């Protein structure tokens, strides 16, 4: 499985992006409108050092690569594919119409009426989603600010590296928040790579 694509943003469409990697390869990724919005909201520097999570589908007639700005959205996409009657296009249509945390909240409340109003979901599908996905889809953190989401996306590689070393994911995210506030002045003129190295060094010292 292709877990993620790292590179520079070349262009975006309503439901797609193109990323150029250091090797010179360009990848076309189909995305939800929300992922495209998240990426467009990044600074120019971050768009040059972009990491997008992916999901690869190989069919007899096509090889398709899908991109996601968060792990929660990718997980939601995969779970939606497991529901009978929902394909990749339908899943992206749903994820373009509602944020994952709001979608999960509707599942938890068993709100068939509101779910059925989401493009791509009717009354029967809404009931099916609740039966199959309630208690399966959960957010790592129930409330996450826009600033924190952006930071988690920006330092996703750093978070993954720390988790592989045995650190707990939520604790790493919390610590990145704290360290960035504590060292705001010191990190002001650092490049993205320098910030990653600086934060990584501080975090591994604490284990």
């Amino acid at each position: 499985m292709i877990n993620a694509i790292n590179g520079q943003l070349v262009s975006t469409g309503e439901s797609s992006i193109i990323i150029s990697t250091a090797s010179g390869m360009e990848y076309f990724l189909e995305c939800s409108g929300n992922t495209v919005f998240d990426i467009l909201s990044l600074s120019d520097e971050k768009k040059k050092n972009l990491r997008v999570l992916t999901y690869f589908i190989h069919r007899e007639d096509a090889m398709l690569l899908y991109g996601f700005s968060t792990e929660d959205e990718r997980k939601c996409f995969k779970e939606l594919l497991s529901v009978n009657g929902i394909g990749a296009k339908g899943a992206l249509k749903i994820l373009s119409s509602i944020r994952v945390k709001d979608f999960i909240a509707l599942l938890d409340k068993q709100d068939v009426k509101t779910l059925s109003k989401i493009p791509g979901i009717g009354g029967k599908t809404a009931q099916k989603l609740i039966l199959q996905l309630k208690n399966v889809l959960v957010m790592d953190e129930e409330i996450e600010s826009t600033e924190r989401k952006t930071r988690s996306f920006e330092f996703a590689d750093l978070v993954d590296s720390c988790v592989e070393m045995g650190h707990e994911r939520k604790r790493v995210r919390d610590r990145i928040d704290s360290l960035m506030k504590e060292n705001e002045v010191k990190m002001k003129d650092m490049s993205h790579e320098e910030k990653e190295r600086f934060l990584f060094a501080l975090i591994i010292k604490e284990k």
Side-chain angles (χ1 to χ4, degrees):
M1 177 182 173
I2 302 172
N3 183 62
I5 299 292
N6 296 274
Q8 178 174 331
L9 181 67
V10 174
S11 64
T12 63
E14 186 177 343
S15 57
S16 65
I17 63 171
I18 295 177
I19 296 179
S20 175
T21 64
S23 66
M25 292 284 290
E26 289 192 1
Y27 291 86
F28 176 87
L29 293 83
E30 295 189 50
C31 308
S32 73
N34 282 320
T35 280
V36 173
F37 176 80
D38 288 343
I39 291 171
L40 288 175
S41 299
L42 296 172
S43 67
D44 289 340
E45 182 186 352
K46 292 170 187 173
K47 289 174 185 174
K48 293 177 182 178
N49 298 281
L50 193 60
R51 179 177 187 264
V52 180
L53 300 172
T54 60
Y55 185 78
F56 179 65
I57 294 180
H58 186 191
R59 302 194 317 235
E60 287 186 6
D61 60 340
M63 290 188 291
L64 305 169
L65 195 60
Y66 298 88
F68 309 91
S69 60
T70 67
E71 182 59 53
D72 287 319
E73 190 185 52
R74 179 166 65 176
K75 181 180 178 182
C76 189
F77 177 80
K78 289 192 285 187
E79 293 298 340
L80 284 169
L81 293 182
S82 71
V83 178
N84 188 35
I86 297 181
K89 287 186 178 180
L92 282 187
K93 191 173 184 180
I94 292 168
L95 293 171
S96 294
S97 305
I98 188 171
R99 288 287 184 178
V100 174
K101 67 180 181 64
D102 297 320
F103 180 67
I104 292 173
L106 293 178
L107 292 177
D108 288 343
K109 290 188 290 186
Q110 302 185 55
D111 190 341
V112 174
K113 184 177 179 180
T114 304
L115 279 169
S116 63
K117 292 179 181 178
I118 297 173
I121 301 177
K124 289 184 179 179
T125 302
Q127 293 176 345
K128 196 184 300 182
L129 287 169
I130 291 169
L131 287 172
Q132 190 166 330
L133 301 184
K134 186 178 181 293
N135 299 323
V136 173
L137 285 173
V138 293
M139 291 289 287
D140 286 341
E141 299 168 58
E142 292 183 2
I143 300 174
E144 191 171 30
S145 67
T146 301
E147 179 184 6
R148 183 179 172 84
K149 284 180 181 177
T150 301
R151 191 148 52 230
S152 294
F153 188 30
E154 178 185 2
F155 292 105
D157 283 336
L158 172 58
V159 173
D160 289 344
S161 295
C162 291
V163 169
E164 288 175 5
M165 294 177 66
H167 292 268
E168 195 271 321
R169 187 174 296 273
K170 183 178 182 300
R171 181 187 171 281
V172 173
R173 288 177 176 173
D174 290 342
R175 195 64 190 120
I176 288 174
D177 285 342
S178 300
L179 289 171
M180 289 193 72
K181 290 174 184 176
E182 293 168 11
N183 298 277
E184 184 176 359
V185 176
K186 186 181 294 186
M187 297 175 65
K188 184 179 179 182
D189 297 320
M190 290 183 183
S191 67
H192 177 75
E193 290 79 8
E194 289 171 335
K195 287 177 183 177
E196 278 194 331
R197 288 196 295 268
F198 177 74
L199 292 169
F200 181 73
L202 292 177
I203 292 171
I204 61 174
K205 284 180 182 178
E206 299 172 355
K207 188 174 180 183

